Structure formats: C-alpha cells, structure tokens
Amino acid sequence: MINFSKKSLSKGLVLLFLALAGRTVSAMNDKATGIPFASSVKELNLFGVGVRKKGPIKVYSVGMYCSDAVRESLSNISRTADKGKKALSTLLNGAKESDTSFVLKMNFKVGAEKMASAIAESVAPRHNSDSEVDDLKSLIFAGVSEKGAAVKGTVLQFDCSPESGIDVSVDGREQGNVASPGLAKAFCSVYLDDKCVSPALRDSILVNCCAP
C-alpha cells in the first residue's frame, strides 16, 4: 500500500490544476472591433480572432475554431523561428485535414450580393471548380438576402470538413451544404495561406497556440 503525505497530495493537486488550466480555452474579443467570440463552437475550440479590413473599413471580425489535435501539433512549434513558416504550414495543413469552422461577425453593413461575391471571389483562385464556388455564393446570398443585407451583428458560419465539404449558416439558420472537400480546403486557405484576407487572424492563432 502506498502512503501519500498531505503535503505531496496538495502539491499534486496544484500541479494538476495548473495543467488543466493551461488547456482551458478562453473566449476572446477582437481588439480591432471589440466583437466577442465564444470559446467553442460545435465541440471545436477557439484558436484566434482577427479583423477583415477593406482599406480603412473594418468589415467584419473572424474567429477560427478547430480540434484539440491541431492545437497540440502547434503547441511545440515556435511562432518566430524561420519567420513562422513551420507554424503557419502546420496550421494550414491541420485546418484542411480537420473539421474547422470560421465564424464571421459583421462590423459594417454589406449588401447580400456584395457579401456573397466578395467571399466567392476570395475562394475562386484557390479552387478548381467554378460551379462549386457558385454554389457557395448562392448559399451565402440566400441567407443574407433574407434579412436584406449583412448588417452589423450578422453572423455567418462556415463549417469546413475534409469529408463532407462546407456547411453555411447565417444567424444560426442553416443554408445548406456544398459537398466538396476541395472547396472546404480552399476556404481554409482564404484565411490561413500567405495571401490570407485577415493577417490579424493568423497572428492571433500563432500567439495563442504556438510556443514563443
């Protein structure tokens, strides 16, 4: 029989608490807009947040949610070594090969057609099927046009899966699915590759998920 002293038990509980606390994923606010993001979506944890700007206009804030496995793969990689190339490559590949959600929260009013076109035009150069990009555009347009425009506070969610493609919802209402894993991966690239539309999001993820 093993006997533990009160002191050793107390120390062990403290270490356990600290270990669990280190894994806790917190909600975040985008510093640029003040828009808040919940700590989790559909069992995926928040990795980081950032602003999408068009010139001086802060159009929307975006949060990325992904799996614990991807977060773990980033935890031992330096965000500064080799100018962050390994960290960014691991992030992009991990997001493409895992369930990943992007939540967009509007900070500036944009018309339904313009919003749908803007996202579609970002995806198109990264994907080889115009018809699938058009399908994505149609789902976005349908969801936003129901309320007239993507007014401030509107929430668009894109759930990307390497198996089932991409699901689109607007203000919590499901608009449909484009059953294309390739399109889902292209959507991840829009926010995570070297020509991403929100560098602030990538920077936030590296700070939150990688080693110094």
Side-chain angles (χ1 to χ4, degrees):
M1 180 178 180
I2 301 175
N3 294 314
F4 296 99
S5 68
K6 290 183 178 180
K7 185 176 181 179
S8 64
L9 282 173
S10 177
K11 183 178 180 180
L13 288 173
V14 169
L15 291 174
L16 177 60
F17 173 79
L18 290 175
L20 291 174
R23 295 180 184 177
T24 300
V25 179
S26 301
M28 299 179 194
N29 283 24
D30 180 7
K31 294 179 181 179
T33 62
I35 294 175
F37 287 82
S39 61
S40 61
V41 164
K42 292 188 175 182
E43 300 182 355
L44 300 177
N45 291 322
L46 181 61
F47 275 42
V49 300
V51 67
R52 166 58 161 142
K53 296 177 72 175
K54 196 70 174 177
I57 300 173
K58 300 171 184 177
V59 183
Y60 61 80
S61 292
V62 54
M64 191 194 95
Y65 297 78
C66 201
S67 69
D68 288 336
V70 175
R71 192 182 190 97
E72 182 66 25
S73 72
L74 291 168
S75 63
N76 294 320
I77 300 175
S78 169
R79 62 176 177 267
T80 56
D82 194 26
K83 297 182 179 180
K85 289 182 180 180
K86 182 177 180 181
L88 292 170
S89 175
T90 301
L91 170 61
L92 177 57
N93 291 333
K96 286 182 175 182
E97 299 303 326
S98 305
D99 288 344
T100 303
S101 291
F102 294 90
V103 177
L104 282 55
K105 297 189 176 185
M106 301 302 298
N107 185 61
F108 185 84
K109 182 180 177 181
V110 179
E113 175 63 30
K114 190 171 183 178
M115 188 67 192
S117 294
I119 294 177
E121 288 169 5
S122 294
V123 176
R126 297 170 168 91
H127 191 52
N128 58 9
S129 171
D130 291 341
S131 63
E132 290 175 353
V133 173
D134 286 342
D135 289 342
L136 175 64
K137 179 180 176 180
S138 295
L139 291 178
I140 299 169
F141 177 78
V144 175
S145 62
E146 285 184 3
K147 55 188 301 176
V151 297
K152 185 172 182 176
T154 300
V155 179
L156 296 88
Q157 183 167 325
F158 300 87
D159 300 321
C160 302
S161 166
E163 298 177 354
S164 60
I166 183 167
D167 294 327
V168 179
S169 64
V170 177
D171 287 342
R173 297 182 63 179
E174 295 182 1
Q175 301 302 313
N177 166 270
V178 182
S180 168
L183 182 69
K185 293 178 180 180
F187 196 92
C188 290
S189 294
V190 169
Y191 291 95
L192 300 176
D193 69 14
D194 290 339
K195 295 182 180 180
C196 64
V197 300
S198 177
L201 172 63
R202 292 205 315 175
D203 291 345
S204 173
I205 293 171
L206 295 194
V207 169
N208 291 322
C209 300
C210 295

